[in-house]
Amino acid sequence: MTPLIIDTDPGIDDAFAIALTAASPEVDLLAVTTVFGNVGLENTTANALRLLELCGRPDVPVAAGADRPLVHPTPHRASEVHGGDGLSGAADTLPKASKDVDGRHAVALMADLLRTATEPVTIAPIGPMTNVALLLALHPELKPKIGRIVAMGGSAKGGNTTAAAEFNIWSDPEAAHRVLAEEDVPTVLVPLDLTHRCAVDATWLERLAAGGTVARGLHALTPSYRATYRRVLGIDGMVLHDAIALAEAISPGILRTTACPVEVDTSHGPGRGATIVDQRRGRNSHRRLVDVALDADVTELGEFVLSRVLR
Ligand code: BDR
Ligand code: CA
């Protein structure tokens, strides 16, 4: 079992990512750490605790981390997509948490877990990369304990928050720059280019609604998120961004990656938060490379996620 830490801002697709992980025997979920993002830190932390309760994993520690970006405050969150509570206004439909949040800061918990780990740990950031950037900055000695970072974020084709930038990267471009462009931990980046192609459809959601407690609990979180995708992408379905990244964390190679240098625009112009993915052949040998997931068997992925959350 690969030890795994999820760093998250739940978030409806984060909810699917957590449930997928909790149902996957290939990984040992060591902790869920939270960050500001889709909504504020208080909500993302409360949501993480309730989601683990829904999944029957209240034993997994939850620690709260950054409540704002490293350098420049962001002007808004994503409550228009995820609801004011981060879960379509339905957080209260989830079981109440039976455990309290861990007393440590998210970065301290991650550091403690890495220090004692006997196998390389996968870290899956599926929100702004603030906690992970802080971890790498504060504890460079622990980098060899990280097997892979598998992150959802960025785009090679344009953004969802601005014309150029994807939400997680846009939320803290300086942190993302540190993780993606300046560090050297093996990293897989799962961008919008792929997650949009993996959107699930109405039939998938019907099968989810007919499932057990976890599946029905997740389905209850989806109506307004689904309405958003009807509005912005014109589809009857929704995008499971973060769950697609977790599929790769759980089953390495389920996504097809291309090694590319990735830069993050930290300027204050219209490109702020954009990821510049250099896909030119033969120009990359001397630069830090990130494995960018640009392809997958989309049907297989949908079944992978659904079959597990239906368990
Ligand atoms: C990312 O932004 C958030 O709204 C989602 O949870 C996902 O992590 C997609 O751009
Ligand atoms: Ca997220």
Side-chain angles (χ1 to χ4, degrees):
M1 282 202 292
T2 304
L4 173 70
I5 299 170
I6 301 179
D7 188 66
T8 176
D9 61 337
I12 291 148
D13 56 323
D14 304 74
F16 281 83
I18 290 169
L20 168 64
T21 306
S24 292
E26 299 89 340
V27 290
D28 177 12
L29 183 56
L30 300 181
V32 171
T33 53
T34 59
V35 63
F36 78 95
N38 288 318
V39 287
L41 184 67
E42 204 175 314
N43 282 112
T44 60
T45 306
N47 293 346
L49 287 163
R50 278 182 177 259
L51 287 163
L52 286 167
E53 199 73 41
L54 173 73
C55 297
R57 294 300 310 274
D59 56 299
V60 175
V62 173
D67 65 359
R68 52 153 287 163
L70 289 182
V71 185
H72 300 288
T74 39
H76 70 80
R77 304 282 181 252
S79 46
E80 75 286 2
V81 177
H82 294 268
D85 65 357
L87 295 175
S88 287
D92 286 350
T93 64
L94 296 174
K96 282 202 167 59
S98 61
K99 288 276 174 60
D100 280 339
V101 68
D102 194 281
R104 287 165 285 186
H105 190 278
V107 175
L109 175 59
M110 285 196 270
D112 287 349
L113 291 168
L114 288 172
R115 213 171 278 119
T116 55
T118 53
E119 285 177 63
V121 177
T122 298
I123 299 181
I126 53 175
M129 294 190 186
T130 320
N131 289 338
V132 178
L134 288 168
L135 173 73
L136 299 174
L138 280 167
H139 297 288
E141 79 285 1
L142 294 175
K143 287 196 279 180
K145 302 300 265 314
I146 305 173
R148 295 196 299 168
I149 293 172
V150 181
M152 191 279 136
S155 168
K157 67 168 184 187
N160 58 357
T161 299
T162 69
E166 179 278 331
F167 179 77
N168 289 342
I169 308 295
W170 173 87
S171 294
D172 194 345
E174 283 74 20
H177 191 272
R178 172 106 199 198
V179 175
L180 298 175
E182 294 179 57
E183 292 289 350
D184 53 4
V185 177
T187 298
V188 177
L189 184 68
V190 182
L192 291 181
D193 311 63
L194 180 60
T195 63
H196 279 175
R197 279 182 48 211
C198 301
V200 296
D201 62 11
T203 307
W204 192 100
L205 287 160
E206 275 163 30
R207 291 170 64 199
L208 181 74
T213 313
V214 173
R216 281 184 280 113
L218 291 172
H219 188 264
L221 309 177
T222 61
S224 69
Y225 189 66
R226 187 172 171 180
T228 300
Y229 281 104
R230 187 185 290 277
R231 185 166 45 79
V232 300
L233 293 185
I235 59 169
D236 183 12
M238 54 182 232
V239 182
L240 293 175
H241 308 281
D242 295 341
I244 304 305
L246 263 298
E248 170 63 29
I250 292 161
S251 181
I254 198 167
L255 308 183
R256 290 190 275 278
T257 61
T258 307
C260 305
V262 176
E263 289 287 330
V264 178
D265 187 332
T266 55
S267 74
H268 291 273
R272 181 167 172 77
T275 44
I276 295 118
V277 179
D278 190 346
Q279 298 181 65
R280 295 174 299 166
R281 284 172 183 268
R283 308 274 184 94
N284 301 331
S285 52
H286 57 291
R287 298 165 71 190
R288 191 260 165 119
L289 301 176
V290 169
D291 293 318
V292 184
L294 293 168
D295 195 17
D297 181 330
V298 170
T299 310
E300 178 196 359
L301 262 177
E303 286 305 312
F304 182 85
V305 177
L306 186 60
S307 63
R308 287 173 182 230
V309 298
L310 285 176
R311 275 180 190 172

